[in-house]
Amino acid sequence: MTTDAFVYIGTYTKTMPHVVGKAKGIYCFEFDAATGRLSGGKLVANVANPTYLAIDPSRRFLYAVSETDSGPNQSGRITAYAIDSATGGLRMLNRRLTGGADPCYLQVDATGKAVVTANYTGGSVASFPLRADGSLGERGSFHQHVGSSINPDRQEAAHAHMARIDASNRWVFVPDLGMDKVTVYQLDAANGKVQPNT
C-alpha cells in the first residue's frame, strides 16, 4: 500500500459526562488516496483527552488540546509536537496551561506564528506565540467571557466553543454557546495575541 499522507486522530481518553473514553491519546493512520483507505492506526502520543488537533502551515508541527480541568485554576493544556515526516511519529516539544477548563478547539494562524484556543467549561479564549522550533511560548493573551442565556441546563455561564481565524488572518471569531453570542477579536499573530475588536 502507498502512503500518500498521515492522518492524525484525537480521542477522549477519560470518562466525560457525554462519553466513556477507552483510547490512549493521539493515533496516526496511513492514508492511501487511490483507495481512500486508512491503515496502521498506531498510538503516537499518550496524552489526556486530545479531542482537537491542529497542524501548522509548514506541516512540521502538530498541536493538541487536553480537554481537562486539572492543574492550577482547573486549566486544560495545549501540547506542541514535532512531526516525523518519514514515520508520522510525534515528538513532544512542550506544554502550556490554557488558563481555563476543557479547551475544545484550537487553530494555528496562516503564518504559523500563533495559536488560539477556546476553553469550553472555562468560558474563555487564550492565545500563544509559536517559536521557530514549533514550541509554545508563554501565553500571549487571555480573555474571560461572562454571560448566560435562556437554557439553564447548558447556558448557565459562558462556554466558548471555537476560536476560528478568518481567511484574511486578521480576525478571530469565537461562538459562545453559553452567552448565545459570537465575539470578534483582532489577531496579532506576530506577537501571539488577540484583542477584543472595537
Side-chain angles (χ1 to χ4, degrees):
M1 176 177 144
T2 303
T3 299
D4 296 301
F6 294 111
V7 175
Y8 296 93
I9 308 288
T11 63
Y12 279 103
T13 62
K14 297 181 179 179
T15 300
M16 303 285 282
H18 56 285
V19 68
V20 176
K22 296 186 184 221
K24 294 183 179 178
I26 301 171
Y27 293 82
C28 179
F29 291 80
E30 297 175 14
F31 175 65
D32 183 339
T35 65
R37 290 190 177 138
L38 295 176
S39 64
K42 61 185 177 184
L43 178 69
V44 290
N46 191 333
V47 60
N49 284 358
T51 59
Y52 207 92
L53 312 175
I55 295 177
D56 82 310
S58 74
R59 299 183 182 268
R60 296 184 303 140
F61 308 111
L62 180 143
Y63 302 90
V65 299
S66 281
E67 191 174 333
T68 64
D69 59 3
S70 60
N73 302 317
Q74 294 187 312
S75 179
R77 294 183 314 242
I78 295 178
T79 305
Y81 297 93
I83 298 172
D84 183 325
S85 62
T87 67
L90 298 178
R91 178 175 53 86
M92 190 181 89
L93 299 172
N94 70 341
R95 288 186 174 136
R96 296 284 184 200
L97 295 173
T98 63
D102 300 315
C104 62
Y105 187 89
L106 79 166
Q107 184 180 0
V108 179
D109 88 292
T111 67
K113 293 182 179 175
V115 64
V116 294
T117 187
N119 296 308
Y120 179 79
T121 304
S124 55
V125 178
S127 65
F128 298 82
L130 298 176
R131 299 173 178 149
D133 67 356
S135 64
L136 297 151
E138 296 288 337
R139 191 168 57 221
S141 56
F142 177 85
H143 300 280
Q144 180 66 55
H145 289 185
V146 176
S148 59
S149 192
I150 62 173
N151 184 335
D153 293 330
R154 300 188 71 206
Q155 297 179 306
E156 79 297 346
H159 295 303
H161 209 245
M162 176 186 270
R164 182 72 180 166
I165 301 169
D166 83 316
S168 75
N169 211 54
R170 295 175 55 212
W171 312 105
V172 181
F173 297 90
V174 182
D176 192 300
L177 181 147
M179 298 191 311
D180 264 342
K181 292 181 180 177
V182 176
T183 303
V184 182
Y185 292 89
Q186 298 176 12
L187 174 65
D188 176 3
N191 295 300
K193 295 182 178 181
V194 297
Q195 296 298 330
N197 187 31
T198 55

